[in-house]
Amino acid sequence: MRKKLVVTLLAASMMGSMLAGCGGGTSGEEGKESSKKGDTIKVMCVGTEAETYIDAYNSIAEKFSENNEYGVDVEIEFYENEQYKTKLTTLMASNAVPDIFYTWELSYLQPFVEGGKVVDITSYLEEDKEWKDSFAEGALDLLSFDGKNYGVPTQKSLCVMFYNKQIFEENAVEVPTTYEEFLEVCQTLKDNGVTPMALCGADAWIPAQFVQQIAGGMAGDQLFKDICAGEEKWNNETHVKAAEEVKEMADKGYFQDGYIGMGPEESTDLFMNGKTAMYFQGAWDADKVAKSSVGENVGAFVLPAYDAQYNNISVGSVNTSFAVSKNCKNVDAAVAFLKYWTSQESEEMLLYENGRIPAGNYPIDETKLSPLMSDVLNISNTQVGLTPWWDRQFGAGEGVEFNNTCASVLGGEDAKTAFDSLQQFAEDNADR
């Protein structure tokens, strides 16, 4: 029986060092073969041409390839998010995964670990304490199973509400400080002929993260902990009410026309072209938004909690994690590349040039941050709790079904009925 992981990230430990001032391991049983010049380390990663970080990721690979003791070259192949998930699952089943693969944490990675598809890199971390200690507290735990580590995160992220400052000013609305004010802002914008928010309905995890954020604002992170511990059901009153809240927003016209079938890039483009006033997404989109046509006018705020006592509890976790495949012929070289990717040099470049929040405890020069990234980091540092996305916490089981449930509610299914079905799914698969 698969052991469920129970992890709630506390912002104090994960984010507290964000604005503070301020050797390679060679052990392990696998990958000890010496490299020959011309050997290639292949990496699978999520990304499309629309992402501004693609060049930066390739730059990291190129710099490592130019000067590493193993004489290897690193090549990264990029795939669209949903395409990647399908591709990786197929390659795992056929034992054809390349040397390094992008992964989400917790229960997404767990079945690959249990299937013997991933290299245990614990010894590398233990032999290089400086590298191990460079990660934010708790970050490595999300990629560890039974006390062994199987991956490293390269960044952290959390959900924020991006907003167009110019549209807000033109419509005489301000950043809301309460949930009631947030709804008033949406209604005012709608009354003025402005679409309040862009939302992708085609990828179920996107509306699901909005539902999860609102649920956290209704019951705090205790709801998350209780579900993980099996002490609360999926069809609890909070989940049902949160989904109904989002559906009511949709019915009032707070999202763009046709959102239910719109893909992520198309919906994001609406916001970046000034067609909507707000856009709820992971902070990983900050750089892309900042470099868009409306970038100078974009800020970010944390969605106020439905119940004010639960303010500053957001959906968030580590992000852009990588693991080494058991197929890797040179684990030493692969780990060395991951060590370079998570070095201060690389992490600073990704932060200042691409808006990626480091997973490491590195000092940050606020003068090098864009105004939008300053907003994002200020939000990050005010968080009192972070709860990972449900599909990361519970993987392809209840996690993905939670996403589908939220999408079905937006599609017109009764929220209570939909979440009853999710709870039944969880009970039917309790022993898997």
Side-chain angles (χ1 to χ4, degrees):
M1 184 190 304
R2 182 185 303 175
K3 179 180 69 175
K4 289 188 175 69
L5 300 175
V6 183
V7 180
T8 298
L9 301 183
L10 296 181
S13 61
M14 286 294 291
M15 304 293 187
S17 63
M18 291 303 300
L19 298 178
C22 239
T26 56
S27 68
E29 296 304 318
E30 303 155 89
K32 296 302 179 182
E33 303 167 19
S34 60
S35 299
K36 298 177 181 178
K37 189 59 182 175
D39 285 353
T40 300
I41 295 290
K42 293 189 176 181
V43 183
M44 279 184 69
C45 189
V46 169
T48 66
E49 292 182 358
E51 306 295 348
T52 57
Y53 58 77
I54 296 296
D55 288 344
Y57 286 10
N58 281 327
S59 175
I60 291 173
E62 290 167 4
K63 288 179 180 178
F64 180 81
S65 299
E66 288 172 0
N67 184 26
N68 66 81
E69 64 180 290
Y70 304 95
V72 300
D73 293 322
V74 176
E75 293 180 0
I76 305 178
E77 294 182 348
F78 296 91
Y79 301 86
E80 183 275 330
N81 190 294
E82 296 304 314
Q83 178 193 23
Y84 180 85
K85 294 174 183 176
T86 301
K87 179 80 172 179
L88 183 61
T89 300
T90 301
L91 292 177
M92 283 288 180
S94 60
N95 291 318
V97 179
D99 303 283
I100 297 172
F101 63 96
Y102 177 110
T103 184
W104 291 272
E105 68 282 14
L106 298 165
S107 287
Y108 184 89
L109 178 61
Q110 186 175 8
F112 302 140
V113 170
E114 293 177 344
K117 309 288 188 179
V118 189
V119 173
D120 172 9
I121 62 170
T122 308
S123 62
Y124 290 89
L125 288 159
E126 292 298 332
E127 290 187 8
D128 190 341
K129 292 291 187 181
E130 183 177 354
W131 183 41
K132 181 180 180 181
D133 293 342
S134 71
F135 291 94
E137 184 178 354
L140 291 174
D141 294 344
L142 304 180
L143 296 148
S144 298
F145 306 89
D146 297 326
K148 297 180 179 180
N149 186 272
Y150 291 89
V152 294
T154 67
Q155 64 180 272
K156 297 178 286 192
S157 198
L158 77 165
C159 289
V160 300
M161 184 69 79
F162 297 102
Y163 75 102
N164 187 311
K165 296 178 182 179
Q166 182 176 344
I167 292 178
F168 269 44
E169 182 178 350
E170 291 172 349
N171 290 274
V173 296
E174 298 180 350
V175 171
T177 59
T178 68
Y179 187 76
E180 291 75 17
E181 288 178 359
F182 168 70
L183 295 179
E184 290 170 3
V185 167
C186 290
Q187 189 59 52
T188 298
L189 292 167
K190 178 63 179 176
D191 291 343
N192 291 348
V194 176
T195 301
M197 288 180 282
L199 180 72
C200 160
D203 283 9
W205 68 270
I206 294 179
Q209 70 180 359
F210 196 29
V211 172
Q212 185 178 347
Q213 178 73 36
I214 293 174
M218 291 177 170
D221 56 3
Q222 190 60 48
L223 172 65
F224 183 91
K225 295 174 183 176
D226 287 346
I227 291 178
C228 290
E231 297 173 358
E232 180 59 272
K233 295 184 177 181
W234 288 96
N235 58 346
N236 61 80
E237 182 179 349
T238 300
H239 273 167
V240 172
K241 185 171 179 56
E244 289 174 341
E245 283 287 315
V246 178
K247 181 60 165 66
E248 186 174 351
M249 292 179 199
D251 292 343
K252 289 181 176 179
Y254 293 170
F255 306 129
Q256 77 273 20
D257 292 340
Y259 78 93
I260 197 70
M262 196 170 288
E265 290 188 11
E266 188 178 3
S267 57
T268 303
D269 284 346
L270 287 175
F271 176 77
M272 294 195 301
N273 289 319
K275 303 298 184 182
T276 70
M278 292 178 286
Y279 165 58
F280 185 76
Q281 184 56 287
W284 53 71
D285 265 5
D287 185 58
K288 178 167 62 176
V289 170
K291 292 175 180 175
S292 71
S293 61
V294 297
E296 292 183 359
N297 291 316
V298 176
F301 63 89
V302 61
L303 185 71
Y306 184 95
D307 184 336
Q309 68 176 309
Y310 300 122
N311 273 329
N312 298 318
I313 296 174
S314 294
V315 178
S317 184
V318 296
N319 207 51
T320 314
S321 300
F322 290 96
V324 179
S325 163
K326 275 292 184 72
N327 294 330
C328 183
K329 293 292 193 294
N330 194 326
V331 176
D332 284 358
V335 172
F337 174 63
L338 296 182
K339 192 177 298 186
Y340 179 70
W341 188 305
T342 54
S343 67
Q344 184 170 348
E345 174 189 355
S346 297
E347 293 277 55
E348 286 183 346
M349 183 267 288
L350 290 171
L351 171 63
Y352 299 134
E353 298 180 18
N354 298 95
R356 316 300 276 181
I357 303 174
N361 287 316
Y362 299 121
I364 291 175
D365 183 348
E366 295 181 69
T367 65
K368 295 182 179 180
L369 298 174
S370 69
L372 178 55
M373 275 309 297
S374 291
D375 280 357
V376 168
L377 288 175
N378 285 333
I379 291 170
S380 173
N381 284 301
T382 63
Q383 298 307 285
V384 297
L386 295 174
T387 58
W389 289 257
W390 280 125
D391 58 358
R392 301 189 188 188
Q393 182 70 32
F394 281 85
E398 291 91 330
V400 170
E401 287 305 311
F402 176 87
N403 295 348
N404 294 336
T405 298
C406 294
S408 71
V409 173
L410 286 176
E413 185 175 1
D414 174 73
K416 181 65 165 61
T417 301
F419 278 92
D420 284 346
S421 296
L422 172 57
Q423 178 58 31
Q424 189 61 56
F425 173 88
E427 293 175 6
D428 291 344
N429 292 276
D431 295 329
R432 70 181 185 282

